[in-house]
Amino acid sequence: GRNRHRDRDREQDREQGSGSARPQPPEPSLLRFLVCPLSKRPLRYEEATNELINEELGIAYPIIDGIPNMVPEAARMTQKKRPAEASEQP
């Protein structure tokens, strides 16, 4: 039964070696426990961008090699600027 295990390893190598490596989603069991470090609220996993989204604050944390980067500095803003800010009179 050891050969089958070796084959599986070889397949994984081929997957990661290819140039079009698909973004690795985080472990589903891990996602259940992850909360935003800023708001302490649950995050939504967005498969299209491979990010964890905080709808409330309008920020997205990147996921690198299946590991969420939950540093607030790494988060990107997902919301467009609020209309109030854009049309501010000098």
Side-chain angles (χ1 to χ4, degrees), residues 12-25:
Q12 277 181 324
D13 287 348
R14 211 179 303 131
E15 251 174 61
Q16 275 156 359
S18 71
S20 60
R22 287 208 332 280
Q24 224 182 318

Side-chain angles (χ1 to χ4, degrees), residues 4-53:
R4 213 180 311 131
H5 186 73
R6 236 201 322 258
D7 287 344
R8 201 171 350 125
D9 284 349
R10 220 177 288 135
E11 275 171 43
Q12 277 181 324
D13 287 348
R14 211 179 303 131
E15 251 174 61
Q16 275 156 359
S18 71
S20 60
R22 287 208 332 280
Q24 224 182 318
E27 199 60 49
S29 56
L30 180 73
L31 280 179
R32 279 203 296 266
F33 300 105
L34 290 179
V35 295
C36 176
L38 300 173
S39 70
K40 305 289 185 275
R41 312 274 292 197
L43 294 159
R44 178 176 64 77
Y45 173 58
E46 179 55 64
E47 204 173 345
T49 56
N50 199 38
E51 293 173 319
L52 291 175
I53 312 286

Side-chain angles (χ1 to χ4, degrees), residues 64-77:
I64 293 103
D65 294 329
I67 297 151
N69 185 347
M70 311 272 292
V71 185
E73 288 78 40
R76 87 181 164 81
M77 302 300 291

